[in-house]
């Protein structure tokens, strides 16, 4: 019952704007390895049946992997959506914030290209507007817990990035990316000290770690 009430609030939030709502969110701003992903979602055929199927919809961080995977397939197949990844080289060149916003821009534009509607409003999770963007938009702080479209986008981005990191783990299993998704767990840091960095590491994210290591000598 609580899940249904919370989920209904997410859809009611989107409806309150009386616009064609596209939600966008990113995954992977914090890790020190791998690209940053963003997804955008538009519920083009929203029905009571679909809302019921998405009864556990919530911020991806509040859901188990099993629940995210379940929702991923429904959202992927029953919405207009797009997902983009900005890789490490560009993150190192243009910084993670700019790359996160760029991924959100590309994914949102990918969705808009399939919509014939001028009454669009893009809801972007966080406290920043998408840069160089020519469509109406509004940022929503902690939007993945308020908006159904943003919550759905957060799930697509999170699952897509987790799958991507699992593939990278096959290439470099010693860093345990399948478990840590590139975040700097102690095991990840120990592996970096032992094996060095890979082409998938964000070197700028590791400056403090290496400075600390140097102070030990």
């Amino acid at each position: 019952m609580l899940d249904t009430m919370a989920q209904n609030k997410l859809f009611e939030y989107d409806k309150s704007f009386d616009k064609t709502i596209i939600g966008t969110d990113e995954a992977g701003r914090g890790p020190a390895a791998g690209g940053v992903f963003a997804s955008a979602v538009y519920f083009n055929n929203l029905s009571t049946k679909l809302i019921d199927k998405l009864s556990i919809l919530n911020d991806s961080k509040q859901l188990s992997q099993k629940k995210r995977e379940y929702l991923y397939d429904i959202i992927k197949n029953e919405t207009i959506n797009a997902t983009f990844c900005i890789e490490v080289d560009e993150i190192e060149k243009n910084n993670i914030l700019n790359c996160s916003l760029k991924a959100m821009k590309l994914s949102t534009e990918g969705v808009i290209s399939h919509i014939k509607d001028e009454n669009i409003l893009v809801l972007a999770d966080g406290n920043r507007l998408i840069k160089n963007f020519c469509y109406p938009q509004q940022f929503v702080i902690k939007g993945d817990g308020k908006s159904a479209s943003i919550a759905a986008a957060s799930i697509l981005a999170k699952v897509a990035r987790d799958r991507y990191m699992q593939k990278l783990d096959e290439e470099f299993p010693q860093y345990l990316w399948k478990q840590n998704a590139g975040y700097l767990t102690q095991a990840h840091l120990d592996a970096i000290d032992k094996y060095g960095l890979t082409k998938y590491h964000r070197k700028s994210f590791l400056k403090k770690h290496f400075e600390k290591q140097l102070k030990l000598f």
Side-chain angles (χ1 to χ4, degrees), residues 108-109 112-113 117 120-122 132-138:
T108 303
E109 289 174 344
I112 291 173
S113 69
D117 191 332
I120 287 171
L121 176 63
V122 173
N132 304 314
F133 194 63
C134 59
Y135 299 96
Q137 61 173 315
Q138 178 175 319

Side-chain angles (χ1 to χ4, degrees), residues 91-92 95-96 197 201-208:
I91 292 172
E92 291 293 88
N95 82 48
I96 187 61
L197 299 178
H201 277 105
R202 305 175 188 174
K203 296 177 178 62
S204 61
F205 282 51
L206 287 151
K207 287 180 180 178
K208 289 184 178 180

Side-chain angles (χ1 to χ4, degrees), residues 6 17 23 40 63 71-72 77 93 98 127 135 160 169 177 195 198 209 211:
F17 291 96
L63 299 171
L71 290 169
Y72 177 90
N77 294 326
K93 182 179 179 181
N98 288 332
N127 61 359
Y135 299 96
D169 181 86
W177 289 334
Y195 301 106
T198 70
H209 174 68
E211 288 173 358

Side-chain angles (χ1 to χ4, degrees), residues 80-96:
I80 295 176
N81 59 80
T83 299
F84 278 85
C85 171
I86 305 297
E87 293 286 3
V88 172
D89 288 349
E90 190 167 347
I91 292 172
E92 291 293 88
K93 182 179 179 181
N94 295 323
N95 82 48
I96 187 61

Side-chain angles (χ1 to χ4, degrees), residues 169 172-177 180 185 187-188 191-192 195-198 201:
D169 181 86
F172 293 100
Q174 61 268 42
Y175 299 94
L176 305 177
W177 289 334
N180 62 46
T185 62
H188 189 181
I192 289 170
Y195 301 106
L197 299 178
T198 70
H201 277 105

Side-chain angles (χ1 to χ4, degrees), residues 4-64:
T4 302
M5 290 175 61
Q7 166 258 7
N8 283 338
K9 286 182 180 179
L10 298 179
F11 283 101
E12 288 300 322
Y13 181 85
D14 286 2
K15 289 179 184 177
S16 70
F17 291 96
D18 197 25
K19 302 274 187 180
T20 295
I21 296 297
I22 300 169
T24 184
D25 197 5
E26 55 76 27
R29 276 184 64 175
V36 62
F37 280 63
S39 296
V41 171
Y42 165 50
F43 286 98
N44 57 311
N45 287 312
L46 190 60
S47 64
T48 301
K49 183 178 179 180
L50 179 55
I51 291 174
D52 287 343
K53 288 167 72 174
L54 296 171
S55 62
I56 60 171
L57 182 65
N58 200 349
D59 169 10
S60 64
K61 296 184 291 296
Q62 303 300 318
L63 299 171
S64 66

